[in-house]
Amino acid sequence: MAYRNFLPSARATNIILVLGGFALGWAIYMRYALVEQSAIGLACRGMETMTCETREMVITLYGYSVFGIAAIALAVLQFIRPSVALFTAALMATAIGVVMYNNNLSALAAGLLLISFARPWRGATA
C-alpha cells in the first residue's frame, strides 16, 4: 500500500501557522522585553512577581539548552513518524529555540522538519 508524503490539510496548516506565530511572538517578547532588559533584571533582584519568576525560569531553561533539546527531540520524532500534532509542537519549539539563543539545535530541528515533508505519511487520505 503506497502512502502519500506528509502534507497537512489547509485547515491544519492554518492552525500550525497561528500556533507557530504565537510561539514566535512569545519568544520575541520574552527575549527583548524581559530577558535582555537590564532594568527588568535590576528590578527583579528583590522582588518575587510572576514576571520575575518567569524571567528566571526562561534564563534557567536557556542555560540547560532545553529549548533546543526539545526542538530536536520533537523534530526527530516527527521525522520518524510524521503527524500534524508533532509537526506543530516541533515548529513551536524550533521557533522558541531560535529566538532564545539555542540556535544550533533549533536550526538542525528546522532542517529535519523540512525533510519530514518527504516522508511517507500514514495519516494521509488517498
Side-chain angles (χ1 to χ4, degrees):
M1 180 172 177
Y3 297 112
R4 282 190 321 132
N5 291 343
F6 175 73
L7 184 66
S9 66
R11 181 177 295 169
T13 301
N14 287 335
I15 293 171
I16 290 168
L17 288 174
V18 168
L19 290 176
F22 172 75
L24 185 65
W26 178 85
I28 289 172
Y29 169 74
M30 287 303 297
R31 177 176 174 177
Y32 293 112
L34 296 181
V35 174
E36 285 191 356
Q37 293 292 325
S38 60
I40 301 291
L42 292 172
C44 285
R45 277 209 171 149
M47 301 179 76
E48 291 187 21
T49 63
M50 192 64 163
T51 302
C52 294
E53 289 177 6
T54 304
R55 180 181 185 273
E56 288 300 318
M57 180 191 67
V58 167
I59 291 171
T60 302
L61 292 176
Y62 154 71
Y64 291 110
S65 298
V66 171
F67 303 117
I69 291 170
I72 196 71
L74 289 169
V76 166
L77 288 174
Q78 163 66 17
F79 184 74
I80 293 170
R81 186 143 173 109
S83 75
V84 175
L86 267 177
F87 182 81
T88 305
L91 182 71
M92 291 174 70
T94 301
I96 292 171
V98 166
V99 174
M100 296 301 294
Y101 305 110
N102 295 136
N103 299 337
N104 295 335
L105 291 175
S106 296
L108 181 60
L112 280 174
L113 286 177
L114 284 175
I115 294 172
S116 74
F117 284 118
R119 299 282 297 156
W121 184 32
R122 291 182 179 209
T125 55

